């Protein structure tokens, strides 16, 4: 996951202005925020205090409530998020918060999952379920891991959890996510919020929500596979208009 996010960083920075104040929403451990800072940007990062990735922080990530971005109006030249918006249930209202903290003419860059990601994650759901007995019997090194496996056992006893994939985002289900993760849906959302859409760029990588094969499938091979299997994520490049919304 870290190598995929770092690869995304190399792609998105070409859409940034040469310099400026940058906000990363849902920064997790701050892998990407740290890279942006090293590239010369003044970086601020926020995430929920419940984020699992904060335990592995490599950059100072500020806690926030998930509703109000804790900065003044028109603070940032760049706002960035990677695979975050689908996890926000009040997504429409949150676009207004992003708009509020952006300077007129600023860039907003979102990396978001595609219907292709949803499809291949559905497929690998069954591979993941089939490998569960192996994960259950292999030697565990810590009580925490044993506890996690016991929780998985309880969960997997529920037939629905085995037969049907779970949704990834905060709304809908695994079927409706084929639309919710579509280019059409994201663009409608951004346009309604008053942003100008400057571009849509598929990320030339294939990956799923289960990390099947993990590091055994290198980035170069993931790039090659994406030519036939499709991109798992796409970059949306937006701009806050220099004209105020009515």
């Amino acid at each position: 996951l870290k190598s995929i996010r770092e690869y995304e960083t190399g792609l998105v920075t070409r859409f940034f202005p040469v310099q400026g104040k940058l906000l990363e929403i849902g920064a997790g451990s701050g892998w990407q925020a740290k890279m942006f800072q090293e590239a010369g940007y003044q970086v601020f990062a926020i995430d929920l205090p419940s984020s699992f990735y904060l335990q592995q922080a490599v950059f100072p990530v500020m806690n926030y409530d998930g509703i109000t971005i804790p900065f003044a109006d028109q603070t940032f030249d760049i706002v960035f998020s990677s695979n975050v918006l689908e996890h926000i249930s009040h997504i429409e209202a949150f676009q207004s918060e992003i708009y509020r903290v952006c300077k007129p003419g600023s860039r907003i860059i979102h990396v978001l999952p595609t219907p292709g990601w949803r499809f291949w994650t559905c497929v690998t759901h069954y591979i993941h379920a089939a490998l569960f007995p192996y994960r259950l019997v292999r030697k565990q090194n810590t009580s925490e891991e044993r506890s996690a496996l016991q929780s998985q056992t309880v969960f997997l006893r529920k037939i629905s959890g085995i037969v049907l994939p779970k949704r990834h985002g905060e709304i809908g289900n695994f079927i409706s996510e084929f639309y919710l993760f579509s280019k059409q849906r994201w663009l409608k959302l951004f346009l309604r919020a008053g942003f100008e859409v400057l571009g849509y760029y598929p990320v030339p990588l294939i990956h799923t929500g289960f990390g099947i094969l993990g590091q055994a499938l290198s980035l170069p091979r993931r790039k090659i596979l994406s030519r036939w299997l499709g991109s798992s994520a796409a970059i949306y490049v937006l701009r806050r208009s220099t004209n105020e919304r009515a």
Side-chain angles (χ1 to χ4, degrees), residues 4 7 19 33 35 70 96 105 114 121 138 143 156 165 181 187 189 218 229 231:
I4 289 172
Y7 176 74
Q19 59 185 0
M35 294 180 70
S96 295
T114 65
T121 296
R138 73 180 182 180
S143 59
L156 286 172
F181 295 171
L187 291 182
L189 174 70
S218 66
L229 304 180
S231 299

Side-chain angles (χ1 to χ4, degrees), residues 156-230:
L156 286 172
R157 284 173 183 167
K158 299 178 181 179
I159 299 301
S160 62
I162 298 175
V163 175
L164 298 176
K166 295 182 66 178
R167 75 182 185 193
H168 174 67
E170 291 300 306
I171 60 175
N173 54 51
F174 79 95
I175 295 175
S176 63
E177 283 183 339
F178 282 93
Y179 168 71
L180 293 174
F181 295 171
S182 69
K183 176 182 177 182
Q184 179 186 21
R185 186 262 178 153
W186 290 124
L187 291 182
K188 284 182 177 179
L189 174 70
F190 300 140
L191 290 170
R192 283 199 304 270
F195 294 110
E196 299 174 8
V197 178
L198 301 183
Y200 164 86
Y201 306 91
V203 176
L205 283 181
I206 181 72
H207 55 85
T208 74
F210 292 106
I212 300 299
L213 296 180
Q215 294 180 343
L217 190 59
S218 66
L219 287 183
R221 289 174 179 170
R222 291 179 183 276
K223 291 180 187 179
I224 293 171
L225 285 174
S226 72
R227 297 174 188 171
W228 291 279
L229 304 180

Side-chain angles (χ1 to χ4, degrees), residues 35-172:
M35 294 180 70
F36 296 141
Q37 184 182 66
E38 291 170 349
Y41 295 95
Q42 184 182 0
V43 180
F44 297 83
I46 59 175
D47 208 333
L48 299 175
S50 58
S51 172
F52 167 80
Y53 296 105
L54 292 177
Q55 301 173 23
Q56 306 163 1
V58 297
F59 184 89
V61 178
M62 180 188 301
N63 290 338
Y64 88 118
D65 61 9
I67 298 173
T68 303
I69 297 175
F71 293 96
D73 296 359
Q74 300 186 15
T75 297
F76 295 101
D77 304 286
I78 310 159
V79 171
F80 170 77
S81 77
S82 175
N83 295 272
V84 170
L85 296 190
E86 71 272 21
H87 297 293
I88 299 175
S89 57
H90 55 290
I91 188 64
E92 298 274 356
F94 197 72
Q95 296 307 299
S96 295
E97 266 299 283
I98 295 174
Y99 193 98
R100 178 184 67 78
V101 299
C102 288
K103 296 178 182 177
S106 60
R107 290 291 176 90
I108 302 90
I109 315 291
H110 298 299
V111 181
L112 292 164
T114 65
W117 180 91
R118 179 67 271 178
F119 175 79
W120 291 113
T121 296
C122 286
V123 171
T124 53
H125 161 83
Y126 297 102
I127 299 174
H128 182 75
L131 291 175
F132 177 74
Y134 165 75
R135 297 195 303 275
L136 182 63
V137 301
R138 73 180 182 180
K139 183 178 180 180
Q140 297 303 308
N141 296 320
T142 68
S143 59
E144 182 180 346
E145 289 176 329
R146 285 193 294 270
S147 177
L149 273 181
Q150 290 169 1
S151 298
Q152 286 183 344
T153 303
V154 172
F155 172 74
L156 286 172
R157 284 173 183 167
K158 299 178 181 179
I159 299 301
S160 62
I162 298 175
V163 175
L164 298 176
K166 295 182 66 178
R167 75 182 185 193
H168 174 67
E170 291 300 306
I171 60 175

Side-chain angles (χ1 to χ4, degrees), residues 1-9 31 205 215 217 219 222:
L1 180 61
K2 181 174 181 290
S3 62
I4 289 172
R5 295 292 175 258
E6 289 178 344
Y7 176 74
E8 288 176 356
T9 302
W31 294 330
L205 283 181
Q215 294 180 343
L217 190 59
L219 287 183
R222 291 179 183 276

